[in-house]
Amino acid sequence: MEDRLQMDDGLVPQKIVSVHLKDSTWKELEDQASHKHVPAPQPGLRPFLETETVQEVTEPAFRGDPTALGEDSHQRRGSASGSEPAADGEQGGAPGEHCHLHLFSCHECLQLENSTIESVKFASAENIPDLPYDQSSSLEGVADEREGAENIPDLPYDQSSSLEGVADEREGRRVNVAGKAPNILLYVGSGSQEALGRLQQVQSVLADCVDTDSYLLYHLLEDSALRDPWPDNCLLLVIATGEPILEDLSQKFMAYLSQGGKVLSLSSPFTVDGFQVTSKAELQETVQSLVFSKADGSEVRLSVLSSGCVYEGSSGQPGPGRLQGHLENEDKDKMIVQVPYGTRGGEAILCQVHLELPPSSSTVQTQEDFNLLKSSNMRRYEVLKEILTTLGLSCDSRQLPALTPLHLLSAAEGIQDPLMQWLRKHVDTEGVIKSSKLSLKFVSSYTPEVEITPSSLPVVTDPEAFSSEHFNLEIYRQNLQTRQLGKVILFAEVTTTTMSLLDGLMFEMPQEMGLIAIAVRQTQGKGRGPNAWLSPEGCALFTLLVSIPLRSQLGQRIPFVQHLMSLAVVEAVRSLPGYEDINLRVKWPNDVYYSDLMKIGGILVNSTLMGETFYILIGCGFNVTNSNPTICISDLITEHNKQHRTRLEFLRADYLIARATTVLERLIDTFQDQGPDGVLPLYYKYWVHSGQQVRLGSADGLEVSIVGLDDSGFLQVHQKDGKVVTVHPDGNSFDMLRNLILPKRQ
């Protein structure tokens, strides 16, 4: 539920379970509802029903020569989210027309039980891009001489593909054509306060070391580690706990290693074959001198805080290029060892010194110890970065860019004057429109003295004051062929997340003005559930406002919105002449993929029902020119040109945003006219799941084949007994196609 369902009396919803009601039970509930008094809403409150889903985009008609829109830079992608209770206002009718959501207490709720509640349940948008790959071609060892790229880390390997280790020589950059999401998972033991403090310390030091534009740090809970399919979505597992590790969990970690996983153990009892962790009480929490040997054979000497344990076993000398660290004492105790594991490239680096703790840690007791550790602090980071680099990560950290002012732009003639008239009537005396998330201060021009914060943003209304090297308004205008969508633009070079920018305007501004928020970069991009969303330069990042009547084909099937958006993104590229074979595809429910291998984009949808209308924010992000951390559309075009000896031009983000918005409007029109059957043939043309085998419940569950979508947009599978049934995700935040569940019918 993602903490977004509001209930009376302070009740906290824990789970929604779909059930099949017999006619007698249904009639009894209706009878109860008809005799039940529904209290009038309190004055000043606007009740709302909010849902969240994820979706993707397709194609529009376009004007202009796409070959003139090429772009040489190659960078990366992202997206957004977030929705709050509607602010007080007049939109939606008189207060008496609204009441709090009472399941089975009003006729409208009964009608929505099979649509809105399902859409809440499946509200989702995934964070990080995996892009599909055409298995009919081979890209192993392919080199590309594109300039301007930099080294990026290999992403983990999807066992369903055959593209291990594909590399690309763009100025030394390794381009991952078959990999996992760039997640670093942190296991710190139980959920105790001590463990949470340890989590913060590990997160902090890793964020200082790695490129946070390329990786996401996630807390791996014990239950999730045992239950969820995290190994397929993990670049690096960091184990940082002094607590004993459960046998079942240890087996999970070893299985991940055997599949080619990378593990960093920080002062934990975790070890691998050939090494034992032995306690030495005299070393516990003491400052010691460490000699660390780097991969190039050079040594770093530094003061470290010992855990009180050492490694014993495998007495032979480490192989050439292996990392190792020992204390400068008589026993030369082993404190850091690098251990390859298995035949698939698995590797663990085990460490019994507290590289994760700063000198200011409460564990450091004396001033003398503090001074020793502080003097070695830069070398501590040097050692940690060497370890992370050896495990395949990039440690070229970059500082987050500063937030920039918004620009209010119009994409159609005749809108600017009505827009400004509307603004003058709705801003307060200081030119501000406030919402629950932020304040927008409308100004004719921007000066550096105006403060910009995540909760207070200036909006420049003079179109003559706008210029951007990343967003060409004329290109956007020429290729936006819509009646309504995307006409009024809030543009930012850098913002927190585009999902919050429309918050104060979405219920008030006339629907025909068609709001869209576009950004070059996001600093707090949102993904499905707790997931974050990487949003570097080179992505197409936008949030689109769409209004859907409740009593319409799509209004009764809101989960389809995410499917239409993902389809629109794919169609926006593949409907271009010459680009038909660029292997972009849709993955259920909310991703854009390169073939069936890697995610290139995703969608996040927040829906708010007011009166008879769904107000839907569609957050969309996909990689256009950013190769890091996974792959982008420019990479696919380059490979296509190389394989087919063509000369397709690169595409711009502004161009594709306009095309995707145009295609989305056409898909919505078709769906409203013909229902699911009007769009599913095109969806199936591009989706990655035809005949795909999945398992229900767990990795050992019943194997079934995916056959399509049902009338509500959920997956249908074919069982071995011949039955076709609908299945739902189990709610894990790693892969919605893993651990699918078959809802019980009562």
Side-chain angles (χ1 to χ4, degrees), residues 593-605:
Y593 260 61
Y594 163 53
S595 183
D596 60 353
L597 300 179
M598 282 189 290
K599 181 175 169 183
I600 202 167
I603 285 82
L604 177 65
V605 176

Side-chain angles (χ1 to χ4, degrees), residues 46-320:
R46 170 176 290 173
F48 70 99
L49 172 61
E50 181 182 78
T51 64
E52 178 178 339
T53 27
V54 177
Q55 307 165 344
E56 311 183 22
V57 193
T58 28
E59 84 121 353
F62 67 97
R63 280 191 273 151
D65 181 5
T67 63
L69 306 179
E71 189 169 79
D72 291 333
S73 62
H74 288 68
Q75 290 136 0
R76 230 187 47 179
R77 83 137 200 138
S79 177
S81 112
S83 177
E84 295 289 334
D88 293 347
E90 299 174 3
Q91 176 68 28
E97 295 179 5
H98 303 292
C99 63
H100 289 291
L101 171 64
H102 292 277
L103 298 183
F104 307 120
S105 67
C106 66
H107 182 65
E108 182 169 306
C109 288
L110 290 172
Q111 290 183 314
L112 287 176
E113 193 269 339
N114 281 324
S115 59
T116 304
I117 301 305
E118 289 291 311
S119 71
V120 173
K121 184 175 180 181
F122 290 93
S124 53
E126 197 161 290
N127 52 355
I128 306 182
D130 320 351
L131 303 179
Y133 172 69
D134 185 353
Q135 297 180 359
S136 65
S137 67
S138 173
L139 294 180
E140 296 185 38
V142 170
D144 177 6
E145 306 196 357
R146 196 181 317 156
E147 297 181 355
E150 57 191 38
N151 288 330
I152 66 169
D154 285 336
L155 299 179
Y157 170 63
D158 181 350
Q159 296 178 9
S160 65
S161 72
S162 59
L163 294 179
E164 294 182 70
V166 173
D168 180 66
E169 301 282 332
R170 288 176 226 158
E171 280 195 2
R173 165 181 264 167
R174 292 177 295 161
V175 173
N176 183 8
V177 186
K180 303 176 185 176
N183 300 330
I184 301 173
L185 303 187
L186 313 177
Y187 176 76
V188 294
S190 65
S192 65
Q193 285 300 116
E194 180 182 352
L196 294 177
R198 193 161 50 243
L199 173 66
Q200 292 177 347
Q201 291 167 337
V202 175
Q203 286 177 324
S204 177
V205 73
L206 290 179
D208 287 340
C209 290
V210 302
D211 178 3
T212 53
D213 245 358
S214 301
Y215 307 101
L216 295 170
L217 308 178
Y218 286 121
H219 182 194
L220 182 63
L221 297 170
E222 187 169 274
D223 288 347
S224 182
L226 289 169
R227 181 191 65 234
D228 292 339
W230 59 266
D232 289 343
N233 297 273
C234 178
L235 271 183
L236 173 67
L237 171 65
V238 178
I239 305 171
T241 177
E243 302 171 5
I245 298 175
L246 297 175
E247 181 62 24
D248 288 350
L249 191 54
S250 181
Q251 290 176 4
K252 274 269 191 180
F253 293 164
M254 295 304 294
Y256 167 67
L257 263 179
S258 68
Q259 294 166 10
K262 310 292 184 182
V263 172
L264 171 57
S265 174
L266 295 172
S267 303
S268 85
F270 178 81
T271 188
V272 298
D273 297 341
F275 287 93
Q276 298 83 41
V277 177
T278 303
S279 176
K280 275 197 169 184
E282 67 270 24
L283 297 178
Q284 187 169 3
E285 313 303 347
T286 61
V287 175
Q288 301 289 329
S289 180
L290 178 78
V291 179
F292 177 75
S293 298
K294 301 172 72 172
D296 62 5
S298 62
E299 291 184 346
V300 178
R301 281 176 164 77
L302 68 158
S303 296
V304 293
L305 187 65
S306 170
S307 69
C309 294
V310 300
Y311 294 107
E312 293 184 347
S314 295
S315 57
Q317 291 294 318

Side-chain angles (χ1 to χ4, degrees), residues 423-480:
L423 274 179
R424 282 190 285 271
K425 293 179 181 179
H426 287 79
V427 297
D428 63 18
T429 55
E430 296 182 350
V432 174
I433 292 180
K434 293 183 179 180
S435 72
S436 59
K437 291 185 177 178
L438 80 168
S439 297
L440 300 178
K441 182 176 178 61
F442 292 85
V443 295
S444 59
S445 62
Y446 170 73
T447 59
E449 292 76 28
V450 178
E451 183 181 19
I452 303 177
T453 69
S455 60
S456 179
L457 299 171
V459 184
V460 180
T461 58
D462 183 1
E464 299 299 322
F466 172 73
S467 66
S468 172
E469 63 177 291
H470 302 105
F471 182 79
N472 187 309
L473 182 58
E474 191 56 36
I475 289 175
Y476 179 84
R477 284 172 171 167
Q478 289 178 356
N479 293 283
L480 184 74

Side-chain angles (χ1 to χ4, degrees), residues 677-690:
D677 291 342
V679 299
L680 282 178
L682 184 62
Y683 186 82
Y684 291 148
K685 175 184 176 181
Y686 292 135
W687 85 332
V688 300
H689 305 298
S690 296

